Amino acid sequence: MSDQTMSDGREQRQNAAPTEVSVIVPVRNEAGNIAPLIAEIAAALGGRSRFEIVYVNDGSTDSTEAELRGLMAERSWLRQIKHVSSCGQSAAVHSGVTHARAPVIVTLDGDGQNDPAFIPALLDALAAGAPRTGLVAGQRVGRKSSRFKKLQSRIANGVRGAVLRDGTRDTGCGLKAFRRDVFLALPYFDGLHRFLPALIRREGFDIGYVDVVDRPRGHGVSNYGMWDRLWVGILDLAGVWWLIRRKKRVPQVSEVKNDAR
C-alpha cells in the first residue's frame, strides 16, 4: 500500500469522526509563516487527536489568503475564517472559537514564535485537570524578543498580576488550551485574550501552566501587540478588576417536597 493511499485513508477516517481539537491561529500579513507552521501543528497532533486548524485572516493585505487557499486544497482539516478589515487579535481569537467544531480549543500566534511541539503537553494538562481545569496557559522561557518588548511585557504582567492576582506571570503567550464552552461564556471585549486566566478563575475553574520555549519570528514583522500590553489596556484592566469584584455566588436551588402529599 502506497504512502499516499495510507494518508488518504487516515484523512477519510478523520473526516468521518467528530473533531476533538480545534487549533485557532489568528494572523495578519503572515504569508511567509503559514506553510511551515501548519506542517508543525499537524506533526504535533498527528496520530493522537482528530483535529482541525482554523486560521483567522484578520484583514491581511499580503498573500495570506492565497497562501491558505492553496494549502486548503490538499488539507480537509484546514479552514480559513476571514475578517474584511483588521479587528485585532482578541476579535480574531473570538471568531475562531465561535466557528470551531471541537469542544477543546488550542490557540497560538501565527508568527512562528510559539512552538507547536508543546501542544500535546497543554492538552494532557487540560485532560488531567478535568473537569475543574478550564484553561492551561503556556509560560514563555528564553523569550526571543527585543529588550524593549520584554520590558513592556514585564511591566504589564507585573501591574496586571498586582491588580487581578490571577497567579499568572505571562498572559501574553499565545499558546493556550481551554474548553470552548467556558470561553464562549465569558464577556467579550477587545483585549480579552490577555485576561483569560483571571476571567476563567472568576468562573470558578482552575488554571494550569506549562513552560514553553519561545522562538525567533520566522518571517515578516510583528503585527500585534506593541502597545497592547499596559497603556492601551489600562481601561480593560480596570474593567476586568470590576467584573471580578462584582462576581456573585450562584445559589444552588432545590425544592423541598411536602411529604404529606
Side-chain angles (χ1 to χ4, degrees):
M1 183 180 292
S2 69
D3 291 343
Q4 182 62 48
T5 301
M6 293 175 63
S7 176
D8 290 345
R10 285 195 297 269
E11 185 154 317
Q12 289 172 1
R13 288 193 295 274
Q14 172 152 322
N15 290 342
T19 305
E20 297 174 322
V21 178
S22 294
V23 182
I24 309 300
V25 189
V27 288
R28 184 174 66 185
N29 297 336
E30 295 286 4
N33 293 311
I34 290 172
L37 187 58
I38 287 174
E40 288 186 304
I41 297 170
L45 286 173
R48 61 161 284 148
S49 299
R50 293 186 293 273
F51 67 91
E52 65 175 0
I53 303 174
V54 182
Y55 264 72
V56 184
N57 180 358
D58 185 33
S60 295
T61 56
D62 66 350
S63 58
T64 288
E65 180 176 351
E67 182 74 11
L68 283 166
R69 282 182 179 273
L71 294 166
M72 288 164 59
E74 300 175 354
R75 296 162 178 82
S76 62
W77 38 260
L78 177 61
R79 302 166 60 199
Q80 178 179 189
I81 306 298
K82 182 181 177 182
H83 291 170
V84 174
S85 59
S86 179
C87 298
Q89 191 169 359
S90 280
V93 171
H94 193 269
S95 292
V97 176
T98 300
H99 287 83
R101 295 169 177 157
V104 173
I105 304 294
V106 171
T107 62
L108 72 162
D109 294 339
D111 58 9
Q113 288 194 263
N114 298 152
D115 190 343
F118 290 97
I119 292 177
L122 295 174
L123 293 174
D124 288 344
L126 187 65
R132 293 305 315 150
T133 299
L135 167 77
V136 176
Q139 304 282 272
R140 291 170 292 188
V141 295
R143 288 194 63 188
K144 306 299 182 182
S145 299
S146 67
R147 291 182 180 179
F148 179 55
K149 199 168 183 179
K150 289 178 183 178
L151 176 62
Q152 280 190 313
S153 292
R154 191 174 298 117
I155 294 171
N157 280 313
V159 172
R160 188 209 69 256
V163 173
L164 302 183
R165 302 185 184 279
D166 58 4
T168 305
R169 63 175 170 81
D170 178 19
T171 61
C173 180
L175 268 168
K176 294 181 175 71
F178 49 84
R179 288 170 39 184
R180 180 175 182 268
D181 61 333
V182 172
F183 178 91
L184 292 177
L186 300 177
Y188 172 72
F189 57 91
D190 192 24
L192 167 66
H193 67 288
R194 295 199 178 277
F195 298 99
L196 284 179
L199 290 170
I200 289 178
R201 279 189 190 279
R202 174 183 181 267
E203 298 303 311
F205 292 95
D206 296 333
I207 308 298
Y209 301 98
V210 172
D211 282 345
V212 301
V213 177
D214 201 35
R215 306 189 296 187
R217 162 180 276 277
H219 301 273
V221 297
S222 177
N223 295 288
Y224 289 127
M226 181 57 77
W227 292 103
D228 188 28
R229 286 170 171 77
L230 174 58
W231 318 121
V232 172
I234 196 70
L235 291 177
D236 289 337
L237 180 63
V240 172
W241 176 84
W242 182 86
L243 282 171
I244 292 172
R245 294 270 297 180
R246 297 296 297 171
K247 175 67 175 179
K248 295 182 178 180
R249 293 180 62 185
V250 178
Q252 296 183 356
V253 180
S254 62
E255 181 179 356
V256 178
K257 300 295 184 179
N258 186 345
D259 294 337
R261 292 182 181 180

